[in-house]
Amino acid sequence: MLQKKLSFIMFVSFFCLIFTASGSLTFAQKKSVKILGVSVMGNQSTDADIIKMTSGLVDGGEITGDEIQTAIKRLWGLGIFSDIQIYVDREVGDGYYLRLEIKEFPRLESYSFDGNKKIKEREFQENLDLYPGQVFSPSLMVKSKNAILDLYAEKGYLLASVDYDTLTSNKPNRIKLVFKIDEGKKVQVKQISFTGNTNFDDGKLKKQFKKVKEDKWWWFGGDFKRNEYEADLEKLLAFYRKNGFRDAKIIGDSIYYDDARENLSINITLHEGVRYRIRKIVWEGNELFDDALLG
């Protein structure tokens, strides 16, 4: 039986492979082929008819090289397959029987957490878009890990790390997911400095920060929480604008650790801009009160 493998990176040469190997036609001589039948193998959770319908490979239809490319792109677009292969099973007359071999990503049966002390499972569940039966793909894993790290960053645990294990299930193509969490130490802010400030010294600018403070004393922690830090940056800009620097902006900020990765330093680069001053106020339309009283 003649079998020619077509991977998703080889679909452009599909017709050349079929016709030159069979000793009949070449791609230059024939632009399309007739599909006598399409079979699907490897699917466990996805209905074969849905797979064929999505691909556009219809029994009795005719396809071109571009349509083979489109069929594979459509199947990848579902986001549920880890591998897609197309084979030519056999040639009968002027038509071909095709076989779609796919490999599905596993489905999620359950998920749990190990190593978490500072954040309860309920909070994770409220922030993770995970549910039983969901396709367990690499993109889902990255998204979930980032969501967990964001929760820890909000609470000042910037050194937290997340890994995962998968346990087999009694159900076919199902896995049990376990997030392995190392919370790490809470990072303390040891230094806040500024670059580009010429009108106000560092001490004055530090006072505008209401939540994020330097850890000067062991009993007064300089916790770093991302949402509070961003709110303090807005307060810093509000201070500048209040003092006439309407064009003030934060060009960038650097957040870095010491060698022990326990203490945090922050440097904020500023563009203060021009200071605007009000020289004269002119009143118009005032009949009840004169300018001196309004001024």
Side-chain angles (χ1 to χ4, degrees):
M1 180 181 291
L2 179 63
Q3 291 189 343
K4 292 167 283 295
K5 182 178 179 182
L6 175 66
S7 71
F8 73 98
I9 61 174
M10 296 172 62
F11 41 67
V12 175
S13 59
F14 176 65
F15 290 95
C16 289
L17 291 175
I18 291 177
F19 297 127
T20 57
S22 64
S24 55
L25 300 174
T26 64
F27 178 59
Q29 293 171 305
K30 193 171 184 180
K31 296 182 179 180
S32 65
V33 297
K34 186 176 182 179
I35 301 177
L36 299 178
V38 180
S39 59
V40 179
M41 296 183 63
N43 55 309
Q44 299 186 56
S45 303
T46 311
D47 184 77
D49 289 335
I50 293 178
I51 294 174
K52 289 195 291 184
M53 182 176 62
T54 302
S55 71
L57 302 177
V58 182
D59 296 358
E62 289 196 359
I63 56 169
T64 65
D66 289 341
E67 288 168 344
I68 285 289
Q69 177 179 354
T70 301
I72 296 176
K73 285 183 176 180
R74 286 173 177 169
L75 291 174
W76 281 120
L78 293 176
I80 61 178
F81 301 127
S82 60
D83 189 35
I84 302 169
Q85 306 289 344
I86 297 180
Y87 294 85
V88 176
D89 267 342
R90 65 186 186 277
E91 175 186 357
V92 178
D94 62 348
Y96 294 86
Y97 286 91
L98 303 181
R99 185 174 78 254
L100 267 170
E101 288 195 6
I102 56 96
K103 184 177 181 181
E104 297 179 341
F105 286 120
R107 302 271 178 164
L108 189 64
E109 179 178 326
S110 63
Y111 64 97
S112 59
F113 303 88
D114 181 45
N116 56 306
K117 296 180 180 179
K118 303 300 181 182
I119 299 180
K120 301 298 182 182
E121 287 198 12
R122 178 179 295 180
E123 189 170 354
F124 286 134
Q125 292 167 354
E126 291 173 351
N127 287 273
L128 296 179
D129 187 20
L130 295 176
Y131 51 87
Q134 189 173 18
V135 175
F136 181 72
S137 65
S139 60
L140 176 67
M141 194 64 248
V142 171
K143 180 181 177 181
S144 300
K145 289 173 66 174
N146 288 340
I148 293 173
L149 292 176
D150 287 344
L151 285 175
Y152 275 104
E154 290 174 4
K155 297 181 182 297
Y157 291 88
L158 302 182
L159 302 180
S161 61
V162 182
D163 204 345
Y164 70 95
D165 287 335
T166 56
L167 307 177
T168 56
S169 168
N170 294 328
K171 299 179 181 180
N173 203 37
R174 293 291 192 273
I175 60 166
K176 298 178 181 180
L177 176 64
V178 181
F179 289 101
K180 312 288 287 186
I181 299 173
D182 181 1
E183 295 181 325
K185 295 181 179 179
K186 181 176 276 192
V187 175
Q188 301 295 312
V189 178
K190 283 297 180 181
Q191 182 181 18
I192 301 175
S193 60
F194 300 87
T195 302
N197 52 311
T198 58
N199 291 276
F200 304 101
D201 60 26
D202 284 15
K204 184 68 173 179
L205 298 182
K206 289 177 188 179
K207 291 180 180 179
Q208 311 313 313
F209 280 39
K210 304 305 179 184
K211 295 293 184 179
V212 179
K213 301 287 187 179
E214 292 179 334
D215 179 20
K216 295 299 185 181
W217 310 100
W218 65 268
W219 65 85
F220 182 74
D223 295 345
F224 181 89
K225 298 181 180 179
R226 172 64 66 175
N227 58 335
E228 293 181 348
Y229 171 64
E230 291 177 353
D232 279 347
L233 290 180
E234 290 299 321
K235 291 184 176 66
L236 178 64
L237 290 177
F239 165 77
Y240 266 102
R241 290 163 186 155
K242 182 180 178 180
N243 285 276
F245 294 89
R246 299 176 58 187
D247 301 327
K249 62 180 66 176
I250 296 171
I251 298 176
D253 61 341
S254 299
I255 300 175
Y256 50 95
Y257 308 103
D258 61 7
D259 292 339
R261 294 182 65 82
E262 293 181 355
N263 300 315
L264 192 71
S265 294
I266 302 172
N267 178 261
I268 300 168
T269 302
L270 296 162
H271 169 73
E272 293 182 323
V274 177
R275 189 171 198 171
Y276 295 91
R277 299 179 184 275
I278 299 175
R279 293 188 176 183
K280 184 178 181 181
I281 300 177
V282 177
W283 302 90
E284 293 183 358
N286 51 311
E287 297 180 358
L288 296 177
F289 305 99
D290 58 25
D291 290 1
L293 183 60
L294 293 175

